[in-house]
Amino acid sequence: MPMLPTLPTSKHGKTVYAKVIAVDFDGTLCVSKWPEIGVPNMAIVQRLLRRQQEGARLILWT
C-alpha cells in the first residue's frame, strides 16, 4: 500500500501530522474481475478502517 507524505492538522493548538494512505480499488480493495467488480478483500478493508479510526486519511487511488 503506497504511503503519501503526511498532512498537517491542528489539535489543541499543536500541529499534528496524520498519515495519508492511498489505496487502489481493483486488486486491492476487491478481487480484480474487470470489467466487473469482484468480491471485497475484507482483510484489507478492515485494516484500513482501523487505520482511519486511528487518524489516518484514506484516499481512493485508482
Side-chain angles (χ1 to χ4, degrees):
M1 223 175 306
M3 296 291 243
L4 296 178
T6 57
L7 297 176
T9 58
S10 179
K11 187 174 186 178
H12 306 294
K14 296 182 179 180
T15 300
V16 178
Y17 292 90
K19 288 195 180 214
V20 177
I21 303 171
V23 61
D24 188 37
F25 185 76
D26 294 324
T28 303
L29 291 179
C30 72
V31 175
S32 185
K33 296 283 275 185
W34 191 89
E36 299 172 12
I37 297 175
V39 296
N41 183 338
M42 292 309 294
I44 296 291
V45 171
Q46 292 300 321
R47 180 190 292 175
L48 290 169
L49 289 173
R50 279 194 308 273
R51 297 295 298 270
Q52 186 179 42
Q53 290 173 346
E54 294 168 357
R57 295 179 182 182
L58 304 180
I59 297 173
L60 181 59
W61 190 278
T62 188

